[in-house]
């Protein structure tokens, strides 16, 4: 949940480590994310893209994708448990270009990259921000650009640059929770003010709900997530400040995955070129982060 987090702007936890997080129960009448109405974008196979696939994946006819489904509207679940979200629709389109069926395997965010490295998944998806540190262990195929954006109750005077002494919600292990807000809190203390208290939660619905119910003065998350969460509250929350720290999202593949990264890059570029990429983003209202060119390992920091 985030933009140096998932892109998500999350810090990678090594395969041997698991970060313990507290589970927070749902609150009745919490705002929930729903998929927009509209027909699915139909995408056809591209032989030139399929030709780039490693033989084992091409022969299997399936792309195994490890994904965390708690990050609406990017990747989450329908009421009956099916994967949905604009990034899910992008992956569906990418799979179609490759001539493959996409098999989503739900996973905790911290387990996705280890699963990619260990061969459990062909691709890792979780709104990962492509960072130089992560590029040491996996390759990223870039497909979107996102920054951090804050939200607060409608009419709030919250200033992200001076949130000293306030409770701010953020996704556990996101960039916002581990780097951004702590740095702002340290600046508060250095200026002789009270630190920021971070309310760490596991799902975006819980984060949004915490602000709606007054448990937190505001929240920080990746820009498309924040915008969609605000929309879902129907006027209870509003965007605060400007987007900052924009960076690319990437689909993760193992360093030893042969030509899979190149095939994914070609597939992303193909859906950009045929207009299906733009149609999917427009359907979900997240066009602001659209890119015109796919790439591999485009980390900015």
């Amino acid at each position: 949940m985030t933009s140096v987090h998932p892109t998500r702007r999350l810090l990678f936890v090594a395969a041997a480590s698991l970060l313990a997080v507290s589970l927070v129960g749902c609150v009745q009448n919490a705002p929930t994310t729903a998929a927009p109405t509209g027909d699915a974008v139909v995408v056809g196979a591209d032989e030139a893209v399929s030709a780039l696939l490693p033989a084992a994946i091409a022969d299997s006819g399936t792309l195994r994708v490890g994904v965390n489904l708690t990050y609406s509207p990017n990747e989450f679940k329908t009421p009956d448990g099916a994967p949905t979200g604009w990034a899910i629709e992008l992956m569906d389109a990418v799979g179609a270009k490759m001539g493959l069926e996409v098999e989503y395997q739900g996973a905790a965010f911290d387990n996705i990259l280890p699963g990619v490295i260990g061969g459990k998944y062909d691709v890792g998806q979780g709104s990962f921000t492509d960072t130089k540190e992560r590029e040491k262990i996996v390759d990223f195929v870039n497909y979107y650009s996102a920054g951090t954006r804050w939200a607060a109750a409608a009419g709030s005077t919250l200033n992200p640059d001076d949130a000293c002494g306030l409770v701010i919600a953020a996704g556990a292990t996101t960039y916002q929770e581990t780097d951004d807000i702590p740095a702002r809190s340290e600046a508060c203390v250095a200026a002789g003010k009270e630190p920021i208290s971070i309310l760490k939660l596991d799902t975006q619905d819980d984060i949004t709900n915490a602000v709606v119910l007054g448990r937190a003065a505001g929240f920080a998350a990746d820009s498309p997530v924040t915008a969609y969460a605000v929309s879902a509250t129907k006027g209870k929350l509003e965007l605060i400040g400007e987007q900052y720290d924009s960076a690319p999202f990437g689909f993760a593949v193992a360093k030893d995955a042969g030509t899979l990264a190149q095939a994914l890059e070609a597939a992303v570029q193909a859906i950009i070129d045929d207009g299906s990429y733009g149609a999917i983003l427009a359907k979900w209202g997240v066009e602001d982060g659209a890119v015109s060119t796919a790439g591999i390992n485009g980390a900015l920091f």
Side-chain angles (χ1 to χ4, degrees), residues 40-257:
V41 177
V42 179
V43 177
D46 186 320
E47 291 184 2
V49 173
S50 300
L52 294 172
L53 286 167
I57 294 177
D59 292 344
S60 74
T62 300
L63 190 69
R64 301 169 303 158
V65 177
V67 61
N68 181 257
L69 295 170
T70 65
Y71 204 50
S72 58
N74 303 11
E75 303 102 357
F76 63 109
K77 295 180 182 179
T78 64
D80 61 2
T84 190
W86 64 264
I88 294 293
E89 291 197 24
L90 283 187
M91 180 55 75
D92 287 342
V94 165
K97 277 294 177 190
M98 293 176 163
L100 300 174
E101 292 290 332
V102 180
E103 178 186 287
Y104 294 104
Q105 300 180 24
F109 183 83
D110 293 339
N111 293 340
I112 296 175
L113 294 186
V116 169
I117 295 167
K120 182 176 182 179
Y121 314 123
D122 300 315
V123 179
Q125 179 176 352
S127 298
F128 288 101
T129 295
D130 180 357
T131 68
K132 294 185 183 297
E133 188 65 25
R134 286 181 175 151
E135 286 179 5
K136 295 176 182 178
I137 57 172
V138 294
D139 289 326
F140 286 102
V141 176
N142 306 129
Y143 63 91
Y144 193 78
S145 178
T148 293
R149 195 76 191 269
W150 288 47
S156 170
T157 59
L158 174 65
N159 178 1
D161 293 326
D162 186 12
C164 307
L166 300 177
V167 176
I168 303 298
T173 75
T174 63
Y175 166 81
Q176 289 83 10
E177 186 262 313
T178 59
D179 285 52
D180 183 20
I181 300 175
R184 293 171 182 271
S185 183
E186 290 173 6
C188 290
V189 174
K193 301 179 180 180
E194 292 295 315
I196 299 171
S197 296
I198 304 175
L199 177 61
K200 297 183 285 186
L201 298 170
D202 294 322
T203 73
Q204 186 55 46
D205 282 347
D206 286 345
I207 293 166
T208 304
N209 199 46
V211 181
V212 170
L213 297 180
R215 294 179 59 203
F219 76 80
D222 287 345
S223 49
V225 173
T226 302
Y228 205 86
V230 167
S231 175
T233 67
K234 303 185 184 304
K236 294 180 181 179
L237 301 185
E238 63 185 16
L239 296 172
I240 300 295
E242 300 296 326
Q243 176 179 312
Y244 57 91
D245 286 352
S246 294
F249 279 176
F251 299 127
V253 300
K255 290 284 187 182
D256 60 356

